[in-house]
Amino acid sequence: MEKPSWRIRRRIIIATLLFCAGEIIYLTLFGDDTSLAETIANGVLILAGSTIGSYVFGAVWDDRNVMAMRKPDPGTTTLTATYVEPQPSPQQTPPPKDFAG
């Protein structure tokens, strides 16, 4: 199974980030100091942060799903770990049963 192409997703993400950068530059250079411009700037920054977060975590999620669907190669072995309770050595004495004396 081949990994899905991120070409279209990457184009959408880059276009969104360029839009956000353009809006911030426009508001910085030509925008008036109003509450509307401040609200737009906050929304654009949140959009950029959400886009970056979705891109990173979406890639991780997608890779994890692809790896889960991939069947293991017949030539590989799977190692499992088991916990073995350590046994006291003969030199060790067991602790006293009553600490009061």
Side-chain angles (χ1 to χ4, degrees):
M1 174 179 285
E2 197 65 29
K3 288 177 69 170
S5 173
W6 277 73
R7 186 175 13 148
I8 295 173
R9 294 181 222 180
R10 195 175 297 120
R11 285 182 186 169
I12 293 170
I13 289 165
I14 290 172
T16 303
L17 292 176
L18 287 175
F19 169 77
C20 292
E23 284 293 317
I24 294 296
I25 290 171
Y26 177 80
L27 289 173
T28 302
L29 298 178
F30 305 111
D32 295 330
D33 190 15
T34 62
S35 64
L36 177 62
E38 181 181 341
T39 303
I40 292 171
N42 285 335
V44 167
L45 289 174
I46 291 171
L47 174 63
S50 299
T51 302
I52 292 170
S54 298
Y55 179 73
V56 170
F57 294 113
V60 170
W61 188 277
D62 193 36
D63 288 345
R64 188 182 69 104
N65 287 340
V66 167
M67 296 302 287
M69 292 174 56
R70 189 175 288 172
K71 294 182 180 178
D73 294 332
T76 61
T77 59
T78 304
L79 299 176
T80 58
T82 56
Y83 177 73
V84 177
E85 185 70 35
Q87 299 295 323
S89 66
Q91 293 95 10
Q92 292 178 341
T93 58
K97 296 193 186 287
D98 184 80
F99 291 109

